[in-house]
């Protein structure tokens, strides 16, 4: 081989005029950028101390580090940074320093222990660098140098390609080419060289490999581009150009040739410095490989081309575009037809374009000029919830978002403010919206990392099928459209494991005297266990283990010491299997009752009213949440939104409760003949519901109301928030009363303070929905007549009609007064009512012995996600101390009814 190294063009930082400086830290006043259909809000921005050597080709990637999900990115000053996605704060222990050797590669993540892997060095420093592993805490894990052959008289050691992660030889491994003549495949945990490596690549390799089982044989092939310069080595005559290669995971083992082990190869007359994408995009949805080229060899016919080959490296199509295709293609369902198309950005040297090409033929579907050069790869997300992927392109003049079907510009941000040569990162944020993290440089040549949120978007769509949310698809940089998203591990809650079957602790002491209610001025989220929530004080990352429990301390800033119970909305989020959540006073045993029932992947919530116990670790007032799934795998996150509390009465606080016969007070359905008829909640809309002087509620002296709110005629996955009119929750941490999907009819109880004009307000995040509101009772003012609440020391199951069930048009009876220590004089009970439905039905809780009112507490219709539906109830008792639970409609299907009691109200 001719070892004289031809020089490679350095991808220089580009001059950007009229840039605006951005300060470090979280913005106190978020900026907004609105355009044709998508609005983005800047959540935080960090300016780096790397003037002159900022972030360039390294794209941000998501990793699970201390405090939750973090964006990780490198710069040319030799730093690898990690910033909490929720707050923008530097992750403790970071940044990592290479000693000044640049990092142009994109970090990847070892899913076993969240080690970060980066290639170090670039074409400006070809004799420095190697393969670097960084621990999750920001320390050196291991380092491996490039092992060039001894025949290379001028060896290069830089690794500008990114390190793909996958199972190559029976464990988690990593592989990337180098700017020398050899590439390494290493054990990701130890850095040990794999058998069959180093592999002789012959020339520089800028291309991040893709990893995929191309031949359905259980082996993970290595798919990569590469450069080629003329010369002879190991009986192979190399010509000017490049390669698309498929290499066996065993490398050259057993071949007797340092360059052996290729499954196939396609040779080009231009370098291949783009990173290949693998997916079922060819005709008949056959598996294929698509990659761009480069610009090193002037006049080569493969310049400005995208090349698609099959798994045998046979050319299927070649598409010539209007500029360099060095940026790596994405494979995404931009048409919403369940098929992958090819998305590519081009660079003419002064401008760029975005292309969407038919995956089967390579014919352009649309192309759109960009405001700047496109050097980094495009990514995709369903920004508008329209059922298809939109395209996000970071250019040297800012970020643009394009409609996936048409190419129309949806919005922009950072225009003429920050320049980019890399790819954005798309994630689901803790407030359930889509987040976009970008990393570039400002007019002072300083690195800048920013996190934007897409207003009104649905974060659950980020990782749906057909998405390409980050450089090379996923945190392992596999470039494989079939690889699961995201591949970050779940973590069980480490704080408590109070398993119900073995718990022997005594019930916590709960006040037996009556308590009055105090509503919060607006709801507040006090717990969110999701990794991306970012705040350890609200239990971010404490995913519940099946069969385990988590103790939630109630903030004394919201609930005074001596309070006896809280009212909150508990929402289960995307469990890995069907199960239920139970709440109970901390310090007690997990009960055999349930508050929220769920199935795999569902987001579902319910109102809980639960007595306060004591956190054994710190003596704080607290509740516990138990995961009753019954297996040992980690499975469910949850949020807890606080609406108010019960405490001993004083002259100024502690409102008594007045139970009412349920009555319908608001119904937005067209033709309902109720107040609100025709006022369907639109995308991002809200509606105020008058709650005084209706349904038996007086005109004044009312602090809060107990209502049942049902959503129906829903058009999209969304959620509603209820709050006192004029006092919405914080926009940074919205609260939720009900989550729902398209076509669902669901109900939830809510206890909401009365706001301006004697009203409460419900807002809808997305799509259209009707709401139906029934009143169950109200809280008066301190000293007024009414009933006081007594929480039970442990929840009690009153009724379970399984297996016989309750026929349509019939009622089950649950006795409260005179049972389980409850006095006969009790006026109302606090229940959880569960409908195990066999067909479309509704349940209504009403005073036993009276007529069934026009109201509903639980709804189920075919098409709802799960047929086990629960709702809280504040039910007035009949003269016999009981409530009836009616299964409607008359003549409808049999339903099994389960009623659990959590407390009662005294006679008032």
């Amino acid at each position: 081989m001719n070892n004289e190294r031809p020089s490679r063009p350095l991808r220089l930082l580009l001059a950007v005029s009229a840039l605006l400086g951005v300060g470090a830290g979280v913005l106190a006043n978020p900026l907004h950028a609105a355009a044709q259909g998508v609005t983005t809000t800047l959540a935080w921005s960090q300016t780096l101390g790397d003037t002159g050597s900022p972030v360039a080709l390294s794209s941000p990637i998501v990793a699970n580090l201390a405090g939750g999900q973090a964006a990780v990115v490198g710069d040319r000053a030799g730093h690898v940074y990690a910033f909490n996605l929720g707050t923008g704060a530097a992750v403790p222990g970071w940044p990592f320093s290479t000693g000044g050797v640049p990092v142009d590669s994109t970090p990847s993540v070892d899913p076993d222990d969240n080690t970060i892997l980066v290639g170090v060095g670039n074409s400006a420093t070809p004799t420095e660098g190697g393969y670097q592993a960084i621990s999750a805490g920001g320390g050196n894990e291991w380092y491996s140098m490039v092992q060039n052959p001894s025949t290379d008289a001028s060896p290069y050691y830089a690794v500008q390609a990114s390190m793909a992660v996958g199972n190559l030889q029976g464990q988690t491994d990593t592989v990337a080419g180098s700017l020398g003549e050899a590439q390494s495949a290493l054990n990701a945990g130890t850095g040990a060289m794999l058998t069959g490596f180093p592999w002789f690549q012959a020339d520089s390799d800028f291309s991040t490999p893709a990893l995929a089982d191309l031949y359905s044989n259980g082996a993970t092939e290595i798919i990569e581009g590469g450069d080629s310069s003329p010369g002879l080595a190991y009986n192979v005559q190399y010509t000017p150009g490049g390669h698309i290669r498929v290499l066996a995971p065993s490398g050259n083992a057993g071949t007797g040739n340092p360059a052996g082990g290729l499954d196939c190869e396609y040779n080009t007359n231009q370098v291949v410095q783009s990173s290949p994408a693998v997916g079922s995009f060819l005709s008949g949805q056959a598996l294929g490989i698509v990659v761009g080229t480069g610009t090193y060899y002037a006049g080569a016919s493969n310049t400005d081309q995208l090349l698609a080959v099959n798994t045998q490296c046979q050319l299927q199509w070649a598409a010539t575009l209007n500029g360099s295709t060095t940026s790596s293609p994405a494979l995404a369902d931009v048409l919403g037809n369940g098929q992958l198309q090819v998305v590519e950005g081009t660079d003419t040297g002064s401008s760029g374009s975005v292309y969407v090409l038919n995956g089967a033929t390579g014919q352009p579907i649309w192309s759109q000029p960009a405001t700047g050069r496109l050097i980094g790869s495009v990514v995709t997300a369903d920004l508008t919830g329209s059922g298809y992927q939109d395209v996000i392109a970071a250019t040297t003049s800012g970020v643009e978002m394009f409609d996936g079907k048409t190419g129309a510009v949806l919005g922009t941000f950072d225009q003429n403010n920050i320049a980019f040569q890399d790819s954005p990162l798309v994630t689901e944020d803790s407030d359930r919206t889509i987040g976009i993290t970008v990393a570039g440089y400002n007019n002072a040549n300083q690195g800048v990392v920013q996190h934007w949120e897409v207003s009104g978007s649905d974060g659950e769509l980020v990782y749906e099928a057909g998405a390409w949310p980050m450089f090379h698809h996923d945190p392992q940089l596999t470039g494989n459209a079939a690889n699961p998203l995201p591949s970050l591990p779940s973590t069980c809650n480490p704080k408590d494991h109070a398993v119900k079957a073995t718990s022997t602790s005594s019930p916590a002491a709960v006040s037996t005297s009556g308590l009055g209610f105090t509503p919060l001025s607006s709801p507040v989220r006090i717990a969110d266990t999701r990794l991306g929530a970012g705040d350890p004080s609200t239990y971010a990352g404490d995913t519940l283990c099946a069969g385990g429990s988590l103790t939630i301390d109630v903030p004394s800033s919201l609930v005074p010491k001596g309070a006896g119970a809280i009212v909150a909305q508990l929402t289960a989020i995307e469990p890995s299997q069907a199960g239920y959540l139970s709440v109970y006073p901390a310090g007690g045993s997990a009960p055999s009752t349930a508050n929220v029932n769920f199935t795999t992947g569902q987001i579902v919530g319910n109102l809980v009213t639960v007595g306060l116990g004591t956190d054994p670790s710190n003596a704080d007032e607290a509740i516990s949440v138990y995961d009753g799934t019954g297996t040992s795998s980690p499975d469910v996150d949850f949020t807890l939104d606080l609406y108010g509390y019960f405490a001993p009465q004083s002259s100024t606080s502690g409102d008594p409760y007045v139970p009412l016969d349920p009555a319908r007070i608001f119904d937005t359905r067209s033709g309902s003949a109720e107040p609100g008829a025709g006022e369907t909640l639109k995308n991002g809309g809200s509606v105020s519901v008058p709650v005084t002087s209706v349904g038996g509620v007086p005109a004044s002296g009312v602090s809060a109301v107990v209502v049942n709110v049902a959503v129906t005629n829903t058009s999209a996955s969304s959620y509603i928030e209820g709050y006192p009119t004029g006092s919405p929750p914080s926009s940074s941490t919205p609260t939720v009363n009900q989550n729902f999907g398209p076509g669902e009819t669901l109900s939830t109880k809510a206890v909401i303070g009365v706001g301006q004009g004697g009203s409460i307000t419900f807002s809808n995040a997305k799509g259209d929905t009707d709401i139906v509101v029934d009143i169950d009772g109200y809280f008066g003012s301190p000293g007024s007549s009414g009933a006081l609440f007594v929480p039970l020391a442990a929840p009690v199951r009153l009724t379970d009609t399984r297996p016989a069930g309750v026929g349509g048009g019939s009622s089950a009876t649950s006795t409260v007064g005179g049972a389980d220590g409850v006095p006969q004089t009790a006026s109302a009970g606090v229940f959880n009512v569960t409908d195990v439905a066999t067909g479309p039905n509704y349940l209504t809780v009403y005073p036993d012995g009276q007529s069934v009112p026009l109201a509903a507490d639980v709804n189920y219709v075919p098409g709802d996600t799960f047929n086990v539906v629960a709702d809280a109830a504040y039910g007035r008792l009949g003269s016999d101390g009981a409530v009836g639970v009616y299964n409607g409609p008359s003549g409808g299907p049999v339903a099994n009814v389960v009623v659990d009691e959590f407390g009662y109200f005294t006679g008032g």
Side-chain angles (χ1 to χ4, degrees), residues 493-505 544-551 584-591 616 624-628:
N493 155 48
K495 296 189 176 180
D496 295 308
H497 292 289
V499 180
K500 178 175 64 174
T502 59
S503 177
T504 58
S505 57
L544 261 179
C545 300
S549 64
L550 178 64
T551 296
Y584 57 99
S589 299
S624 291
V625 181
Y626 171 73
D627 176 9

Side-chain angles (χ1 to χ4, degrees), residues 796-800 813-816 819-820 831 883 899-901:
V796 174
R797 178 146 293 173
L798 297 179
T799 303
D800 190 340
T813 300
S814 294
T815 299
V816 177
D820 299 305
F831 313 104
V883 293
V899 180
D900 299 327
E901 182 186 6

Side-chain angles (χ1 to χ4, degrees), residues 218-242:
T220 301
E221 279 75 35
I222 302 164
I223 305 104
E224 61 191 9
D227 293 5
S228 178
S229 54
L232 178 68
Y234 302 109
N235 298 317
V236 175
Q237 182 65 54
Y238 293 89
T239 59

Side-chain angles (χ1 to χ4, degrees), residues 516-818:
F517 181 67
T518 300
L520 298 187
S521 58
S522 62
V524 176
R525 176 152 295 170
I526 62 172
D528 187 343
T529 66
R530 291 173 295 179
L531 286 173
D535 185 354
S537 70
T538 55
Y539 308 93
D542 285 338
T543 299
L544 261 179
C545 300
S549 64
L550 178 64
T551 296
I552 304 296
D553 295 340
V554 177
S556 58
S557 60
L558 299 173
V559 178
K561 293 290 185 181
I566 61 169
V567 178
Q569 181 77 9
L570 176 68
T571 301
I573 300 173
E574 297 179 344
S576 62
Q577 54 193 291
Y580 64 91
L581 295 179
S582 297
V583 295
Y584 57 99
S589 299
S592 57
T593 55
N595 293 87
V596 179
N597 299 86
F598 50 75
T599 190
T600 303
Q602 192 178 18
I603 300 178
V604 61
N606 195 9
L607 188 76
V608 298
T609 302
V610 57
L612 292 173
T614 301
D615 184 339
S617 69
N618 57 21
D620 284 349
E621 291 179 316
I623 67 167
S624 291
V625 181
Y626 171 73
D627 176 9
T629 306
T631 69
S632 59
S633 59
D635 73 273
V636 64
D637 285 304
F638 68 87
T639 58
L640 191 69
D641 299 329
L642 183 66
Y643 284 79
Y645 59 89
F646 288 96
Q649 282 189 303
S650 72
S651 60
T652 58
S653 66
D655 304 330
Y657 181 58
V658 180
L660 300 171
D661 292 338
R664 184 145 298 166
I665 62 170
F666 202 80
D667 187 342
T668 67
R669 291 175 294 182
S670 178
S672 71
E674 300 284 349
E679 295 183 39
T680 298
L681 274 76
K682 300 298 183 180
N683 187 10
S686 63
V687 64
S688 292
V689 179
V691 292
T692 56
S693 301
V694 295
V697 181
S700 61
V702 179
S703 66
V705 291
V706 179
V707 295
N708 198 79
V709 57
V711 294
T712 189
N713 301 324
T714 59
S715 67
S717 294
S718 184
Y719 62 90
I720 57 170
E721 285 185 285
Y723 51 89
T725 299
S727 299
S730 167
S731 59
S732 62
T733 54
T735 56
V736 170
N737 286 95
Q738 183 66 276
N739 291 271
F740 51 86
E744 289 191 315
T745 297
L746 297 171
S747 297
T748 190
K749 198 69 64 186
V751 178
I752 304 174
V754 177
Q756 297 171 0
S759 297
I760 60 176
T761 295
F762 290 99
S763 63
N764 174 40
K766 189 175 178 181
D768 296 347
T769 183
D770 284 309
I771 63 168
V772 181
V773 182
D774 300 330
I775 190 84
D776 286 346
Y778 67 92
F779 290 93
S781 56
S784 64
S785 61
L788 300 179
F789 180 62
V790 180
L792 298 184
V796 174
R797 178 146 293 173
L798 297 179
T799 303
D800 190 340
T801 67
R802 293 173 292 185
V806 178
S810 299
S811 296
T813 300
S814 294
T815 299
V816 177

Side-chain angles (χ1 to χ4, degrees), residues 58 60 64 166 211 220 225 250 315 342 370 440 552 610 613 696:
S58 181
N64 176 28
L211 301 178
T220 301
S250 55
L315 186 67
V342 178
I552 304 296
V610 57

Side-chain angles (χ1 to χ4, degrees), residues 363-375:
Q363 293 298 309
I365 296 172
W366 59 260
S367 65
Q368 184 71 258
T371 57
R373 297 172 62 181
L374 266 165
I375 298 172

